[in-house]
Amino acid sequence: MKHLIRRVRADEWRQVRDLRLAALQDPAAPIAFLETYEDASTRPDTFWQERAANAAQGDAVAQFVAEAPDGSWDGTVSVLVEGRGSESAFSDPAVMDQTHVVGVFVRPEARGAGLADALFRVGLAWSSAVEEPRVQRVRLFVHERNARAQGLYRKLGFERTGVTVPMAGDRSDEREIEMAVQR
């Protein structure tokens, strides 16, 4: 693998935006992301600037990218810190100090080259390095019909926790499955 896996920088907000918009156009996007291309594409530049700055410098979130030798970005993963009792967009308040993996995407033409594994390794290492709160587990949610993603997450050591939540919005009859790996 010739990609560099690294944290985004605040001044890379345009690349953050462009990769997110590409992810939202992927055929799996309706079951992989809780946002639509239409909504994301109308967000102002200030939204993307703030998102990139927080993911680059903050202690509460980190975004990692797979940068190709030519400088293009072929994948990403973000990790959110959730302290015990903190609110979560996906479920009830966190029952323990944990991180939450979101926004997993690898461009179709770059899949099968180990980028997802490499992105997760860096995200898990970052989670282990979080000092406050001390992370007890890393979790994620995956759509019940997203078998490809579930297979990847199992390969990376994630296991189903038994927690499921309804999909947001008008798709509340569909479920998201929580998977986690203990630290």
Side-chain angles (χ1 to χ4, degrees):
M1 184 180 76
K2 298 182 182 345
H3 286 76
L4 171 66
I5 308 300
R6 65 170 180 81
R7 194 165 179 178
V8 299
R9 294 185 293 267
D11 65 345
E12 295 175 318
W13 65 269
R14 287 179 185 86
Q15 294 96 315
V16 167
R17 177 198 60 207
D18 293 349
L19 189 58
R20 179 64 174 182
L21 294 177
L24 293 172
Q25 291 178 311
D26 188 86
I31 62 171
F33 304 109
L34 299 178
E35 178 179 37
T36 66
Y37 175 84
E38 292 74 25
D39 288 341
S41 65
T42 63
R43 295 191 186 279
D45 290 349
T46 54
F47 171 86
W48 298 105
Q49 291 163 351
E50 185 176 311
R51 185 174 182 152
N54 289 339
Q57 303 160 0
D59 295 330
V61 60
Q63 181 178 1
F64 301 96
V65 293
E67 183 179 358
D70 67 1
S72 63
W73 290 4
D74 285 332
T76 186
V77 66
S78 294
V79 185
L80 313 172
V81 175
E82 296 177 331
R84 181 188 323 260
S86 66
E87 293 299 316
S88 169
F90 292 87
S91 65
D92 293 332
V95 297
M96 65 183 69
D97 295 331
Q98 60 194 11
T99 55
H100 188 153
V101 176
V102 298
V104 178
F105 176 69
V106 174
R107 292 183 188 274
E109 62 273 16
R111 292 178 186 156
L115 292 183
D117 291 358
L119 286 161
F120 265 85
R121 277 195 306 274
V122 171
L124 290 170
W126 184 84
S127 294
S128 292
V130 171
E131 293 183 10
E132 189 59 38
R134 196 75 192 135
V135 172
Q136 296 173 288
R137 73 174 184 165
V138 179
R139 75 169 179 168
L140 54 81
F141 282 88
V142 60
H143 192 278
E144 62 190 349
R145 289 186 288 118
N146 197 341
R148 184 184 64 175
Q150 288 181 48
L152 168 67
Y153 303 148
R154 278 192 301 277
K155 185 177 99 172
L156 295 167
F158 286 79
E159 298 178 353
R160 289 182 179 202
T161 66
V163 172
T164 65
V165 296
M167 196 69 180
D170 295 336
R171 297 171 27 203
S172 61
D173 59 327
E174 299 178 46
R175 307 294 293 175
E176 291 273 334
I177 299 164
E178 182 186 59
M179 299 179 78
V181 60
Q182 299 301 314
R183 299 304 310 150

Coordinates of all heavy atoms in Angstrom, one line a residue, residues 1 3-8 55 61-67 75-81 99-102 104 114-130 135 138 156 158 181 183:
M1 N 0.8 -1.2 0.0 CA 0.0 0.0 0.0 C 0.9 1.2 0.0 O 1.8 1.4 0.8 CB -0.9 0.0 1.2 CG -1.9 1.1 1.2 SD -3.0 1.1 2.7 CE -1.8 1.7 3.9
H3 N -0.4 4.4 0.1 CA -1.1 5.5 0.7 C -0.5 5.9 2.1 O 0.0 5.1 2.8 CB -2.6 5.2 0.9 CG -3.3 5.1 -0.4 ND1 -3.2 4.1 -1.3 CD2 -4.2 6.0 -0.9 CE1 -4.0 4.3 -2.3 NE2 -4.6 5.5 -2.1
L4 N -0.6 7.2 2.3 CA -0.2 7.7 3.6 C -1.5 7.9 4.4 O -2.5 8.5 3.9 CB 0.4 9.1 3.5 CG 0.7 9.9 4.8 CD1 1.7 9.2 5.6 CD2 1.2 11.3 4.4
I5 N -1.6 7.3 5.6 CA -2.8 7.4 6.5 C -2.4 8.5 7.5 O -1.5 8.4 8.2 CB -3.1 6.1 7.2 CG1 -3.3 5.0 6.2 CG2 -4.4 6.3 8.0 CD1 -4.3 5.1 5.1
R6 N -3.2 9.6 7.5 CA -2.9 10.7 8.4 C -4.2 11.5 8.8 O -5.2 11.3 8.1 CB -1.9 11.7 7.7 CG -2.5 12.3 6.5 CD -1.6 13.4 5.9 NE -2.2 14.1 4.8 CZ -3.1 15.0 4.8 NH1 -3.6 15.4 5.9 NH2 -3.5 15.6 3.6
R7 N -4.0 12.3 9.8 CA -5.1 13.1 10.2 C -5.3 14.3 9.3 O -4.3 14.8 8.7 CB -4.8 13.6 11.6 CG -6.0 14.2 12.3 CD -5.8 14.3 13.8 NE -7.0 14.9 14.5 CZ -7.1 15.1 15.7 NH1 -6.1 14.8 16.6 NH2 -8.2 15.7 16.3
V8 N -6.5 14.8 9.1 CA -6.7 15.9 8.2 C -6.2 17.2 8.9 O -5.9 17.2 10.1 CB -8.3 16.1 7.9 CG1 -8.9 14.9 7.2 CG2 -9.0 16.5 9.2
A55 N -11.9 18.3 13.3 CA -11.4 17.0 13.1 C -9.9 17.0 13.0 O -9.2 16.0 13.3 CB -11.9 16.4 11.8
V61 N -12.9 14.8 18.4 CA -13.1 14.1 17.1 C -11.8 14.2 16.3 O -11.0 15.1 16.4 CB -14.2 14.8 16.3 CG1 -14.0 16.2 16.0 CG2 -14.5 14.0 15.0
A62 N -11.6 13.1 15.6 CA -10.4 13.1 14.7 C -10.9 12.4 13.3 O -11.6 11.4 13.4 CB -9.3 12.3 15.3
Q63 N -10.4 13.0 12.2 CA -10.7 12.4 10.9 C -9.4 12.1 10.3 O -8.5 12.9 10.3 CB -11.5 13.4 10.0 CG -11.8 12.8 8.7 CD -12.6 13.7 7.7 OE1 -12.9 14.8 8.1 NE2 -12.9 13.2 6.6
F64 N -9.3 10.8 9.8 CA -8.1 10.3 9.1 C -8.4 10.0 7.7 O -9.6 9.7 7.3 CB -7.7 9.0 9.8 CG -7.4 9.3 11.3 CD1 -8.3 9.0 12.3 CD2 -6.1 9.8 11.7 CE1 -8.0 9.2 13.6 CE2 -5.9 10.0 13.0 CZ -6.8 9.7 14.0
V65 N -7.5 10.3 6.8 CA -7.6 10.1 5.4 C -6.5 9.2 4.9 O -5.4 9.1 5.4 CB -7.7 11.4 4.6 CG1 -8.9 12.2 5.0 CG2 -6.4 12.2 4.8
A66 N -6.8 8.5 3.7 CA -5.8 7.7 3.0 C -5.4 8.6 1.8 O -6.2 8.8 0.9 CB -6.4 6.4 2.6
E67 N -4.2 9.1 1.9 CA -3.7 10.0 0.8 C -2.8 9.2 -0.2 O -1.9 8.6 0.3 CB -2.9 11.2 1.4 CG -2.5 12.2 0.4 CD -1.7 13.3 1.0 OE1 -1.6 13.4 2.3 OE2 -1.2 14.2 0.3
G75 N -9.8 7.5 0.9 CA -10.6 7.0 1.9 C -10.6 7.8 3.2 O -9.7 8.7 3.3
T76 N -11.5 7.6 4.1 CA -11.6 8.3 5.3 C -12.3 7.5 6.4 O -13.1 6.6 6.1 CB -12.3 9.7 5.1 OG1 -12.2 10.4 6.3 CG2 -13.7 9.5 4.7
V77 N -12.0 7.9 7.6 CA -12.7 7.4 8.8 C -12.6 8.5 9.9 O -11.6 9.2 9.9 CB -12.2 6.1 9.3 CG1 -10.8 6.2 9.9 CG2 -13.1 5.5 10.4
S78 N -13.7 8.7 10.6 CA -13.7 9.7 11.7 C -14.0 8.9 13.0 O -14.7 7.9 13.0 CB -14.7 10.8 11.5 OG -14.4 11.5 10.3
V79 N -13.4 9.5 14.1 CA -13.6 8.9 15.4 C -14.1 10.0 16.4 O -13.4 11.0 16.5 CB -12.3 8.2 15.9 CG1 -12.6 7.5 17.2 CG2 -11.8 7.2 14.9
L80 N -15.2 9.7 17.1 CA -15.8 10.7 18.0 C -15.6 10.2 19.4 O -15.8 9.0 19.7 CB -17.3 10.9 17.8 CG -17.7 11.1 16.4 CD1 -19.3 11.0 16.3 CD2 -17.2 12.4 15.8
V81 N -15.2 11.0 20.4 CA -15.1 10.6 21.8 C -16.5 10.8 22.4 O -17.1 11.8 22.3 CB -14.1 11.5 22.5 CG1 -14.0 11.1 24.0 CG2 -12.7 11.3 21.9
T99 N -15.1 5.5 22.2 CA -15.0 6.3 20.9 C -16.0 5.6 20.0 O -16.4 4.5 20.1 CB -13.6 6.4 20.3 OG1 -13.1 5.1 20.1 CG2 -12.7 7.2 21.2
H100 N -16.4 6.4 19.0 CA -17.4 6.0 18.1 C -16.9 6.3 16.6 O -16.6 7.4 16.3 CB -18.7 6.8 18.3 CG -19.9 6.4 17.6 ND1 -21.2 6.6 18.1 CD2 -20.1 5.8 16.4 CE1 -22.0 6.1 17.2 NE2 -21.4 5.6 16.2
V101 N -16.8 5.2 15.8 CA -16.3 5.3 14.5 C -17.5 5.7 13.6 O -18.5 5.0 13.6 CB -15.7 4.0 14.0 CG1 -15.3 4.1 12.5 CG2 -14.5 3.6 14.9
V102 N -17.3 6.7 12.7 CA -18.3 7.2 11.8 C -17.7 7.5 10.5 O -16.4 7.7 10.4 CB -19.1 8.4 12.3 CG1 -19.9 8.0 13.6 CG2 -18.2 9.6 12.6
V104 N -17.1 6.1 7.6 CA -16.2 5.2 6.9 C -16.5 5.2 5.4 O -17.6 4.9 5.0 CB -16.3 3.7 7.5 CG1 -15.4 2.8 6.8 CG2 -16.1 3.7 9.0
G114 N -6.5 -2.7 1.1 CA -6.2 -2.6 2.6 C -6.4 -1.2 3.2 O -6.0 -1.0 4.3
L115 N -7.0 -0.3 2.4 CA -7.1 1.1 3.0 C -8.0 1.1 4.2 O -7.8 1.8 5.1 CB -7.6 2.0 1.9 CG -6.7 2.3 0.7 CD1 -7.3 3.3 -0.2 CD2 -5.4 2.8 1.3
A116 N -9.1 0.4 4.1 CA -10.1 0.4 5.3 C -9.4 -0.2 6.5 O -9.5 0.4 7.6 CB -11.3 -0.4 5.0
D117 N -8.6 -1.2 6.4 CA -7.9 -1.8 7.5 C -6.9 -0.8 8.0 O -6.8 -0.6 9.3 CB -7.1 -3.0 7.1 CG -8.0 -4.2 6.7 OD1 -9.2 -4.2 6.9 OD2 -7.4 -5.3 6.4
A118 N -6.2 -0.1 7.2 CA -5.2 0.9 7.6 C -5.8 2.1 8.3 O -5.3 2.5 9.3 CB -4.3 1.3 6.4
L119 N -6.9 2.5 7.7 CA -7.6 3.6 8.4 C -8.1 3.3 9.7 O -8.0 4.0 10.7 CB -8.8 4.1 7.5 CG -8.4 4.9 6.2 CD1 -9.6 4.9 5.2 CD2 -8.1 6.3 6.6
F120 N -8.7 2.0 9.9 CA -9.2 1.6 11.2 C -8.0 1.4 12.2 O -8.2 1.8 13.3 CB -10.0 0.3 11.0 CG -11.4 0.5 10.9 CD1 -12.0 0.7 9.7 CD2 -12.2 0.5 12.1 CE1 -13.4 1.0 9.6 CE2 -13.6 0.7 12.0 CZ -14.2 0.9 10.7
R121 N -6.9 0.9 11.7 CA -5.8 0.7 12.6 C -5.4 2.1 13.2 O -5.1 2.2 14.4 CB -4.6 0.1 11.9 CG -4.7 -1.4 11.9 CD -3.3 -2.0 11.5 NE -2.7 -1.5 10.2 CZ -3.0 -1.9 9.0 NH1 -3.9 -2.9 8.9 NH2 -2.5 -1.4 8.0
V122 N -5.3 3.1 12.4 CA -5.0 4.5 12.9 C -6.1 5.0 13.8 O -5.8 5.6 14.9 CB -4.7 5.4 11.7 CG1 -4.5 6.8 12.2 CG2 -3.4 5.0 11.0
G123 N -7.3 4.8 13.5 CA -8.4 5.3 14.3 C -8.4 4.5 15.6 O -8.7 5.2 16.7
L124 N -8.2 3.2 15.6 CA -8.1 2.5 16.9 C -6.9 2.9 17.8 O -7.0 3.0 19.0 CB -8.1 1.0 16.6 CG -9.4 0.4 16.0 CD1 -9.1 -1.1 15.6 CD2 -10.5 0.5 17.0
A125 N -5.8 3.2 17.1 CA -4.6 3.6 17.9 C -4.9 5.0 18.5 O -4.5 5.3 19.6 CB -3.4 3.7 16.9
W126 N -5.6 5.9 17.7 CA -5.9 7.2 18.3 C -6.8 7.0 19.5 O -6.7 7.7 20.5 CB -6.6 8.1 17.2 CG -6.9 9.5 17.6 CD1 -6.0 10.5 17.7 CD2 -8.2 9.9 18.1 NE1 -6.7 11.6 18.1 CE2 -8.0 11.3 18.4 CE3 -9.4 9.3 18.4 CZ2 -9.0 12.1 18.9 CZ3 -10.4 10.1 18.9 CH2 -10.2 11.5 19.1
S127 N -7.8 6.1 19.4 CA -8.7 5.9 20.5 C -8.0 5.4 21.7 O -8.3 5.8 22.8 CB -9.8 4.8 20.1 OG -10.6 5.2 19.1
S128 N -7.0 4.5 21.5 CA -6.2 4.0 22.7 C -5.4 5.1 23.3 O -5.1 5.1 24.5 CB -5.3 2.9 22.2 OG -6.0 1.8 21.8
A129 N -5.0 6.1 22.5 CA -4.2 7.2 23.1 C -5.0 8.3 23.8 O -4.4 9.2 24.4 CB -3.4 7.9 21.9
V130 N -6.4 8.3 23.6 CA -7.2 9.3 24.3 C -7.0 9.1 25.8 O -7.2 8.0 26.3 CB -8.7 9.1 23.9 CG1 -9.6 10.0 24.8 CG2 -8.9 9.5 22.4
V135 N -10.6 5.5 27.2 CA -11.5 4.8 26.3 C -11.5 3.3 26.7 O -10.5 2.6 26.8 CB -11.2 4.9 24.9 CG1 -12.0 4.0 24.0 CG2 -11.3 6.4 24.5
V138 N -14.4 0.8 21.5 CA -14.6 1.5 20.3 C -15.9 0.9 19.7 O -16.0 -0.3 19.6 CB -13.5 1.4 19.3 CG1 -13.8 2.2 18.1 CG2 -12.2 1.9 20.0
L156 N -12.0 -6.9 11.6 CA -11.2 -6.0 12.4 C -11.4 -6.2 13.9 O -10.8 -5.4 14.7 CB -11.6 -4.5 12.0 CG -11.2 -4.1 10.6 CD1 -11.9 -2.8 10.2 CD2 -9.7 -4.0 10.4
F158 N -14.5 -6.3 15.6 CA -15.7 -5.8 16.1 C -16.7 -6.9 16.2 O -16.8 -7.7 15.3 CB -16.3 -4.6 15.3 CG -15.5 -3.3 15.4 CD1 -14.3 -3.1 14.7 CD2 -16.0 -2.3 16.1 CE1 -13.6 -2.0 14.8 CE2 -15.4 -1.1 16.3 CZ -14.2 -0.9 15.6
V181 N -15.5 -3.2 19.8 CA -14.3 -3.9 20.2 C -13.8 -3.3 21.5 O -13.8 -2.0 21.7 CB -13.2 -3.8 19.1 CG1 -12.8 -2.4 18.8 CG2 -12.0 -4.7 19.4
R183 N -11.2 -2.2 24.5 CA -9.8 -1.7 24.5 C -9.1 -2.3 25.7 O -9.6 -2.6 26.7 CB -9.8 -0.2 24.5 CG -10.5 0.5 23.3 CD -10.0 0.1 21.9 NE -8.6 0.2 21.8 CZ -7.9 -0.5 20.9 NH1 -8.5 -1.4 20.1 NH2 -6.6 -0.4 20.8

